[in-house]
Amino acid sequence: MQLTLWSYEGPPHIGAMRVATSMKDVHLVLHAPAGDTYADLLFTMIERRAARPPVAYTTFQARELGGDTAALVKETIAACYERFKPQVLLVGESCTAELIQDQPGALAQGMGLPVPVLPLELPAYTRKENWGANETFYQLVRGLLKARAPEPGQESALRHGGERPRANLLGPTALGFRCRDDVTEITRLLDAAGVDVHVVAPLGASPADLLRIPEADFNVCLYPEVADQACDWLRRTFKQPVVRSVPIGIGATRDFLDEVARITGRDTSSARDPIWSRMPWYSRSVDSTYLTGKRVFIFGDATHAVAAARVASEELGFTVVGLGTYAREFAREVREAAKRYGVEPLITDDYLEVEARVAEAHPELVLGTQMERHIAKRLGIPCAVISAPVHVQDFPARYAPQMGYEGANVLFDTWVHPLMMGLEEHLVTMFREDFEFHDGATPSHLGPGAAPRDAVAETAEGGEVSGASSAGEAPGEDEGAGAGETVMAWAADAEQELKKIPFFVRGKARRNTERYAAERGIQTITVETLYDAKAHFGR
């Protein structure tokens, strides 16, 4: 265990909560102390769900630890069944309750309830949230379908044999990143390819829906962090093929359609033309040449991080200078991707280590989680969120998928706009002293004498026009050397020249100049030193 300000993943019972909350007619009973009863905050305040999560707690307290907490488990389970009448009951324990070793799952199975009871073994001190969601979904699918599994050597008799193939979309959950909109977009994409979506699970599914999974012709592993175990078991048991291409970006979406075509034998070319995506045109336009070679650092869950690296490199012309994930279960995939871009993979769940690597890489854009948003803000770098964990602002009311052709539009807007706005802020800053551009200037479209009254009054009083001194500058953007470094003296004209450099690369220019000066024993940095350093490092 590690005491930390921020955690990319919660303990595994949070993953179990996500699966239970995603589904209908499923209830989770969690053996946990009063302090672990925070599911309502996660789902109603962050994701803005309209209903409370289907989670009940034993909520044992310190005074009960000297008695029989097993009796409390049974009482809670019985009361939960009588009140909610779920079709399936999940039983698990939080990390605190794991130390007591009451075995709540075994206790529940011995109670003779008239519904399936699935005990969850969630080792809180060795595993984390995504693994918990993956294991819970796998146990649900396997527990409900194992009785329907065909005998070894026999084919499943559950295929529908209809004119249009059917696919299951597996993996989207509550608290996932843009899962709701991704499901809509991929359903639309498959329909254009002549394929019907049969079951979406766990998001929005009931236990009865899980029983219908083997009727489909193939499964789409939409989010491997949640569904890869279940998909592998369905492939082995019911011989259902699995589409593993995650359709994030234009190229990956076409790969996804190609894989669907190979499995179904259908021609998906009618869906390959991204008629509703503007990203390919924009990324080839003259306006986008400003983006070519922009340095980008990527960190998140493995699925979104690997996909983002491909989009950034192949479709937007960025240079990937960092790639990593907090999901150790998928470290191999991230390491393989990092090799393609010639960067050292970062596999860690320590946000301080991530921050150090971002600062070292000097990127011009960060793509990451909510934590990377904070890191980038401290470093004065533009950032876009591409992966959970996220905050309430990343569950937008509008339609904003990440997958498919419309998802490519969203990616382009989300990633490119921070860079474009950074350029605009730089231009505003650079020209703020110009007589035509400061706030007291006469707006040309209003004619002479139409300057804002407040601005004119402030100027007449000799005061500074509000906002003129700080336009386009973020707090701390001109901070110099980091902790432990020697602070160099800058001549006034050199400081003024430095401010002409765009703020999103100004920190790098300052550091390079100070390093150049330190190596040559220069005590005061002048304009000449600044340009000498630029020439030196630009070689």
Side-chain angles (χ1 to χ4, degrees):
M1 297 296 286
Q2 180 183 10
L3 184 63
T4 182
L5 176 67
W6 173 276
S7 176
Y8 286 100
E9 295 183 86
H13 71 265
I14 301 297
M17 285 183 188
R18 287 173 54 191
V19 172
T21 302
S22 302
M23 299 186 66
K24 299 176 288 189
D25 300 321
V26 172
H27 208 90
L28 170 64
V29 176
L30 200 65
H31 191 29
D36 283 349
T37 56
Y38 46 76
D40 284 13
L41 298 177
L42 290 174
F43 298 101
T44 60
M45 293 184 66
I46 295 179
E47 195 174 8
R48 296 189 270 206
R49 296 182 72 88
R52 295 183 63 183
V55 183
Y57 307 89
T58 58
T59 58
F60 61 83
Q61 301 183 41
R63 64 175 178 271
E64 293 165 318
L65 294 179
D68 186 6
T69 54
L72 181 60
V73 171
K74 291 182 178 181
E75 291 171 6
T76 305
I77 291 172
C80 176
Y81 175 74
E82 287 301 320
R83 179 180 178 185
F84 298 106
K85 293 294 192 296
Q87 294 179 12
V88 172
L89 195 65
L90 302 175
V91 182
E93 53 194 345
S94 72
C95 45
T96 309
E98 184 180 336
L99 302 173
I100 305 174
Q101 298 184 343
D102 277 334
Q103 303 297 318
L107 292 171
Q109 286 184 313
M111 292 178 62
L113 295 175
V115 295
V117 176
L118 297 179
L120 302 176
E121 297 293 333
L122 303 173
Y125 297 96
T126 57
R127 299 289 188 173
K128 293 194 174 182
E129 179 182 329
N130 280 340
W131 184 90
N134 199 316
E135 179 70 11
T136 300
F137 184 53
Y138 164 68
Q139 291 295 346
L140 266 169
V141 171
R142 184 175 181 274
L144 293 174
L145 289 174
K146 63 183 178 181
R148 299 190 172 199
E151 295 294 328
Q154 295 181 353
E155 288 291 329
S156 174
L158 299 175
R159 300 291 187 275
H160 72 292
E163 292 184 3
R164 284 167 61 102
R166 295 180 182 176
N168 299 315
L169 305 184
L170 305 183
T173 66
L175 280 183
F177 188 66
R178 307 289 171 84
C179 290
R180 175 200 67 191
D181 296 344
D182 284 347
V183 167
T184 300
E185 185 65 20
I186 298 308
T187 300
R188 177 187 182 188
L189 182 67
L190 288 173
D191 179 65
V195 177
D196 293 329
V197 171
H198 186 56
V199 170
V200 177
L203 189 66
S206 67
D209 292 325
L210 298 188
L211 291 174
R212 297 191 298 116
I213 285 178
E215 298 171 6
D217 296 285
F218 64 98
N219 295 314
V220 175
C221 189
L222 211 56
Y223 299 95
E225 283 84 354
V226 175
D228 69 338
Q229 276 195 94
C231 285
D232 286 342
W233 184 81
L234 291 165
R235 177 184 54 80
R236 295 192 307 268
T237 306
F238 292 95
K239 306 299 186 289
Q240 286 181 300
V242 182
V243 172
R244 298 190 182 276
S245 296
V246 179
I248 298 178
I250 297 295
T253 299
R254 289 173 175 161
D255 291 348
F256 172 84
L257 289 170
D258 288 344
E259 199 169 349
V260 170
R262 286 195 298 271
I263 288 174
T264 63
R266 296 181 68 90
D267 180 10
T268 62
S269 58
S270 60
R272 285 180 58 87
D273 182 21
I275 58 174
W276 57 87
S277 179
R278 298 177 179 85
M279 179 180 173
W281 182 86
Y282 277 131
S283 61
R284 291 194 302 268
S285 70
V286 66
D287 290 340
S288 72
T289 56
Y290 163 71
L291 307 173
T292 304
K294 290 294 183 183
R295 297 165 59 83
V296 59
F297 190 102
I298 303 167
F299 190 88
D301 68 39
T303 295
H304 287 90
V306 171
R310 176 178 178 180
V311 173
S313 176
E314 298 179 10
E315 299 177 24
L316 292 176
F318 292 164
T319 300
V320 177
V321 297
L323 178 61
T325 184
Y326 55 81
R328 295 184 183 276
E329 293 85 358
F330 293 87
R332 177 180 298 176
E333 288 84 346
V334 174
R335 288 192 176 102
E336 290 175 356
K339 287 180 183 178
R340 292 196 292 271
Y341 307 110
V343 297
E344 184 69 24
L346 177 60
I347 314 298
T348 183
D349 58 2
D350 184 349
Y351 70 94
L352 294 175
E353 186 176 354
V354 177
E355 181 167 3
R357 289 285 289 272
V358 172
E360 179 185 337
H362 305 306
E364 293 160 278
L365 177 68
V366 174
L367 303 176
T369 72
Q370 172 71 4
M371 190 63 236
E372 280 64 52
R373 192 206 308 273
H374 293 303
I375 289 171
K377 187 175 182 180
R378 285 194 294 272
L379 297 175
I381 305 170
C383 178
V385 174
I386 62 162
S387 161
V390 294
H391 200 29
V392 62
Q393 67 197 82
D394 294 302
F395 289 98
R398 70 184 186 281
Y399 183 62
Q402 299 289 285
M403 296 185 179
Y405 294 133
E406 184 59 30
N409 287 337
V410 174
L411 293 181
F412 185 90
D413 288 345
T414 308
W415 299 4
V416 169
H417 288 174
L419 291 172
M420 292 297 191
M421 293 305 100
L423 177 62
E424 180 178 305
E425 287 186 43
H426 165 63
L427 293 174
V428 171
T429 302
M430 187 168 68
F431 288 106
R432 70 171 183 258
E433 302 298 337
D434 192 289
F435 74 96
E436 290 186 286
F437 291 95
H438 67 76
D439 287 349
T442 300
S444 59
H445 66 288
L446 296 178
R453 189 186 312 172
D454 292 342
V456 173
E458 288 180 12
T459 305
E461 294 172 3
E464 188 175 25
V465 176
S466 175
S469 64
S470 58
E473 292 188 19
E477 67 184 16
D478 283 331
E479 291 179 4
E485 298 179 13
T486 302
V487 178
M488 305 292 295
W490 283 71
D493 58 346
E495 284 279 9
Q496 289 299 319
E497 195 69 17
L498 182 67
K499 288 182 179 180
K500 296 179 182 179
I501 298 173
F503 74 88
F504 40 85
V505 291
R506 194 178 300 156
K508 180 180 178 182
R510 179 184 285 275
R511 286 187 292 272
N512 283 346
T513 303
E514 290 178 350
R515 192 173 83 186
Y516 177 87
E519 290 173 353
R520 287 155 181 77
I522 298 172
Q523 298 298 317
T524 301
I525 294 174
T526 63
V527 174
E528 289 73 19
T529 311
L530 180 62
Y531 280 98
D532 288 345
K534 178 182 178 182
H536 174 76
F537 288 105
R539 291 201 298 264

